[in-house]
Structures are given as structure tokens and as C-alpha cells.
Amino acid sequence: MNARTIDHATLHVPTDGLEDARAFYGDALGFDLAGVERFEAGETPFFDVRLTPEHLLHLWPTEEFAEPDGTGYDHLALVVEEGIEAITAELNAAGVEIERRLENPVGATGRAPAVYVRDPFGYRVELKEPVEG
């Protein structure tokens, strides 16, 4: 088997998490929410954050939601097109608190600067600039 890429990841959120997801992932980070109409109509148990044309984040509202324990190892890492200064400026303008900034964390694509924020459900989100070269 030869994996090509991740198609989607699924995170559980509180049952009333749609508006918080819209405010954080949609308004603050600028991603589109998809499948909201189907979710609200009861056709699917989740809605999506469209990260790229080929990648989704399923957000699955559940009564059994338990906030992550806050360790740095339970997080979602995204490579974004902008450089670290532009990422930082966008987050500051959107009022998103930056937990930390690392200049050289390693990931699947190599080492590049990243900032870490928390979504409204307690998940850490790493926003990493593209690796040079």
C-alpha cells in the first residue's frame, strides 16, 4: 500500500460547536465551512472545514466530547502559504491568541517556523510556513 495524502481527519466537538467552529476556522483563519446545510438538516452527523480543495477536517458534534488534555502532542498541523510574519499578523488582526512560536519544528515536509493556537474546543492548531527548498 502506498499512501498519497491525508484525505480528511475527524475531530469531535461539543454538540453546540457549529458557531464556534464558524468563528474560529471560518472567520479567524479564513477556511470555508462545507456541508453545514446537510448537517443542520440531519443528513450527516458532521460538518466540514475545507482546508484545501483536496483536504477536509470533519468536525463531529457529540455529547461525549471531552476537551483534549492540553499536551503539545495532540494537535493538527497545517502548512499554510504565508510566511511566519504574515501568519502572526493575520492571527493578531483576528484576535487569535498565539500560545507559542517555534523557529524550527520538524514535520512531514521538513523544518520551518510555526505558531501554535487553540481552537475553541481545546485542540492545538500548528500553522507552519512552507519549508524552503
Side-chain angles (χ1 to χ4, degrees):
M1 186 172 316
N2 297 301
R4 174 186 270 183
T5 187
I6 293 175
D7 180 80
H8 70 274
T10 302
L11 299 178
H12 288 121
V13 301
T15 56
D16 62 351
L18 176 58
E19 289 312 311
D20 286 339
R22 188 184 319 272
F24 181 77
Y25 288 103
D27 298 340
L29 299 188
F31 295 115
D32 291 329
L33 267 61
V36 173
E37 298 80 18
R38 290 186 332 232
F39 168 73
E40 291 179 324
E43 296 171 13
T44 63
F46 59 86
F47 56 92
D48 302 316
V49 176
R50 174 70 60 186
L51 301 171
T52 72
E54 299 87 19
H55 302 96
L56 291 173
L57 179 60
H58 293 320
L59 296 183
W60 194 302
T62 178
E63 290 182 19
E64 294 81 31
F65 172 73
E67 189 170 311
D69 65 10
T71 67
Y73 300 102
D74 57 353
H75 71 280
L76 173 68
L78 304 174
V79 176
V80 296
E81 295 295 326
E82 297 83 6
I84 197 69
E85 297 307 327
I87 295 167
T88 300
E90 286 183 39
L91 292 170
N92 287 334
V96 176
E97 179 182 347
I98 296 172
E99 282 192 350
R100 67 191 282 196
R101 177 177 167 160
L102 294 178
E103 295 304 319
N104 209 19
V106 69
T109 59
R111 294 182 178 276
V115 295
Y116 299 81
V117 299
R118 289 270 172 196
D119 80 0
F121 315 112
Y123 294 107
R124 180 174 280 160
V125 179
E126 175 182 347
L127 301 166
K128 184 175 180 175
E129 75 176 41
V131 174
E132 290 185 23

